[in-house]
Amino acid sequence: MPAKKNREKGDKSATIADPTPAASESEGPPPPEPRPPVQVLYCGVCTFPLEYCEFGSSLTRCKDWLQEHDTEAYKKYYSEEALQAKIGTLSLEAQSKLELETAKKEAKAEAKADAALKKKMASPVTIKRIERNKRKHVTSIHGLEAFGIDLKKAAKQFASKFATGASVTKNPQGQEEIVVQGDVSDEVLEMIEGEVGILKGIPADNVEIVEEKKKKGGE
């Protein structure tokens, strides 16, 4: 009987397979080499990638900017060789048409920009002294956003300057304005005229101070 047990034990051990695969079976193809990130250069005028400037409406200014900031990239895209390679397959008629369309597009964009600038420079800024009661006033400032000024940052600047509350609210017309606690209208005008902090680019002639008194009877 002992001899039989040994024989059965030996048979079981002989049937156990090695769980570790062979080295040749576990090795697959080597992982691909990591690719370096693609560097994309953006135009400082139209903000497009450089190769897409031609599809915008400010190609001439884009080219001037690139020539000033990166001469190698300018040569890559706008040298005689680069331009010839790009339009070499176009007929003379097609080239002339392309140049004309580009010129029209730029002229239209410039006219639009000029109109926007004129509108901006004509935008009024109203500083209103508002009476709440005989001893309390608030000051509202409306129109700063037309000059690209962030109203929340301006409100924070006023609050810090005058050590009082200042917030961005909507007036009865639904337009955003800054309301500062206290009568600081003259001081706000001085800050705008002196271009203090972010209050830059506002013509002094566009600024007007008005006064709104409390109606009788608490209406």
Side-chain angles (χ1 to χ4, degrees):
M1 293 300 291
K4 185 177 182 182
K5 289 183 180 180
N6 290 339
R7 199 163 47 247
E8 290 177 354
K9 184 177 180 181
D11 292 341
K12 288 181 180 180
S13 63
T15 58
I16 296 176
D18 186 358
T20 305
S24 59
E25 296 178 359
S26 62
E27 291 181 358
E33 291 291 331
R35 294 182 179 180
V38 177
Q39 292 185 344
V40 180
L41 300 178
Y42 293 90
C43 176
V45 177
C46 68
T47 69
F48 292 168
L50 297 182
E51 57 267 31
Y52 291 100
C53 288
E54 62 182 294
F55 300 108
S57 57
S58 54
L59 180 58
T60 300
R61 290 189 293 124
C62 293
K63 290 168 65 176
D64 292 341
W65 177 87
L66 185 59
Q67 187 174 22
E68 180 181 351
H69 290 82
D70 194 331
T71 55
E72 290 301 320
Y74 179 84
K75 292 177 182 179
K76 176 182 177 181
Y77 292 104
Y78 302 114
S79 65
E80 285 294 330
E81 294 79 5
L83 293 177
Q84 287 300 325
K86 179 178 291 187
I87 64 175
T89 58
L90 297 178
S91 64
L92 291 176
E93 182 180 357
Q95 293 181 32
S96 300
K97 184 178 180 180
L98 180 61
E99 291 174 357
L100 182 61
E101 289 178 351
T102 301
K104 285 183 178 180
K105 190 183 293 185
E106 290 185 357
K108 185 177 180 180
E110 289 178 3
K112 186 177 180 180
D114 289 341
L117 179 60
K118 289 179 181 179
K119 182 179 179 180
K120 170 183 174 181
M121 298 310 292
S123 299
V125 173
T126 304
I127 304 173
K128 185 182 293 185
R129 181 190 295 113
I130 304 172
E131 182 182 11
R132 294 300 191 206
N133 54 50
K134 291 184 178 179
R135 294 184 179 181
K136 185 177 180 181
H137 293 77
V138 297
T139 303
S140 69
I141 305 100
H142 172 71
L144 296 179
E145 69 282 355
F147 298 90
I149 294 174
D150 188 310
L151 296 185
K152 290 184 179 180
K153 291 182 179 179
K156 186 176 181 180
Q157 179 174 320
F158 290 138
S160 176
K161 170 68 175 179
F162 305 121
T164 187
S167 60
V168 179
T169 61
K170 287 190 176 182
N171 60 22
Q173 292 74 35
Q175 301 170 326
E176 288 191 333
E177 63 182 12
I178 299 173
V179 176
V180 184
Q181 300 299 317
D183 179 6
V184 293
S185 52
D186 293 329
E187 291 85 345
V188 170
L189 176 60
E190 291 177 0
M191 291 178 68
I192 292 175
E193 291 177 339
E195 297 189 322
V196 177
I198 65 171
L199 304 174
K200 295 183 174 15
I202 306 171
D205 293 339
N206 293 39
V207 186
E208 178 185 17
I209 295 181
V210 298
E211 185 167 355
E212 180 180 298
K213 292 188 177 181
K214 183 180 180 182
K215 295 180 180 181
K216 293 183 179 181
E219 297 180 359

